Amino acid sequence: MRKVAPAGSRFVLEARLANMNKFKQDWAANSDSKLFEAIAIEKSNLSRQFLFRNNDIGKFKSQIAAKVIKQMKPKINIQYMNEKVGDDNIDFTNKMLDNDKLTGVFNALDNIEARRFMDNQCFNFNKPLFESGTLGSKANSQTIIPYLTESYSSSVPNDDKTIPLCTI
């Protein structure tokens, strides 16, 4: 289990603050956003994901999400790709994370394995991660800053046996 860097030395505190300040400055200055999702919208998505409507069923989630976000915030520069991030597409995932212009990652993944994978990759590439999702009837939202906060993998039990509610 990965832990937060130990506190106590001035160097560690300064490194943590520098990491947080860089993130805040980069986030404010960088308006580029990218969405990745290789799954089409299903009817079951409509009850829990506010970006999608009946006429979106069958279309790629990333495409519709980018379109709706652009309508909400017209000045945002947002691109979508119908690509999956994960172990089975590691080259693509690493290419996206190994980018100095990328200042943070927003997760909305539908399974723990994928969430843990992205948590680990964001830690490895020193990228802040904003995790959100559901697990059974529980909701989760977490801000993860490498070496500053607890990681997602450290905070979720390994023995989860809940059934995703969207499958019921």
Side-chain angles (χ1 to χ4, degrees), residues 93-95 97-99 120-127 146:
T93 305
N94 288 346
K95 181 180 175 186
L97 291 172
D98 192 18
N99 178 345
N120 191 53
Q121 292 302 100
C122 287
F123 183 85
N124 290 340
F125 284 93
N126 199 29
K127 302 293 183 185

Side-chain angles (χ1 to χ4, degrees), residues 20-146:
M20 186 63 177
N21 285 335
K22 179 183 181 327
F23 167 73
K24 287 194 290 189
Q25 290 168 1
D26 288 349
W27 195 266
N30 185 353
S31 62
D32 287 350
S33 298
K34 292 183 175 49
L35 290 172
F36 308 103
E37 178 62 84
I39 298 174
I41 298 165
E42 298 174 359
K43 187 171 179 89
S44 67
N45 299 135
L46 302 180
S47 65
R48 66 182 188 283
Q49 298 173 354
F50 70 93
L51 298 176
F52 309 136
R53 303 291 179 258
N54 277 325
N55 61 340
D56 298 326
I57 294 172
K59 298 175 185 171
F60 283 107
K61 290 180 179 180
S62 57
Q63 176 185 8
I64 300 303
K67 178 180 135 189
V68 173
I69 291 167
K70 185 79 173 163
Q71 290 170 347
M72 291 181 199
K73 188 173 179 180
K75 292 184 181 181
I76 193 170
N77 181 11
I78 192 164
Q79 301 167 347
Y80 69 90
M81 296 178 141
N82 299 327
E83 290 278 351
K84 181 179 179 184
V85 291
D87 264 336
D88 54 350
N89 200 3
I90 192 78
D91 292 337
F92 174 79
T93 305
N94 288 346
K95 181 180 175 186
M96 293 299 105
L97 291 172
D98 192 18
N99 178 345
D100 290 337
K101 290 186 177 187
L102 179 68
T103 57
V105 174
F106 286 87
N107 263 2
L109 300 168
D110 63 357
N111 66 76
I112 291 179
E113 182 181 338
R115 293 175 190 170
R116 286 180 198 245
F117 171 81
M118 285 306 295
D119 176 54
N120 191 53
Q121 292 302 100
C122 287
F123 183 85
N124 290 340
F125 284 93
N126 199 29
K127 302 293 183 185
L129 171 64
F130 301 91
E131 170 53 41
S132 66
T134 58
L135 184 61
S137 61
K138 301 174 191 172
N140 180 59
S141 177
Q142 184 178 359
T143 301
I144 303 150
I145 313 267

Side-chain angles (χ1 to χ4, degrees), residues 1 112 116 135 138 152-161:
M1 174 163 46
I112 291 179
R116 286 180 198 245
L135 184 61
K138 301 174 191 172
Y152 175 80
S153 299
S154 299
S155 65
V156 175
N158 286 328
D159 62 347
D160 179 70
K161 295 186 176 39

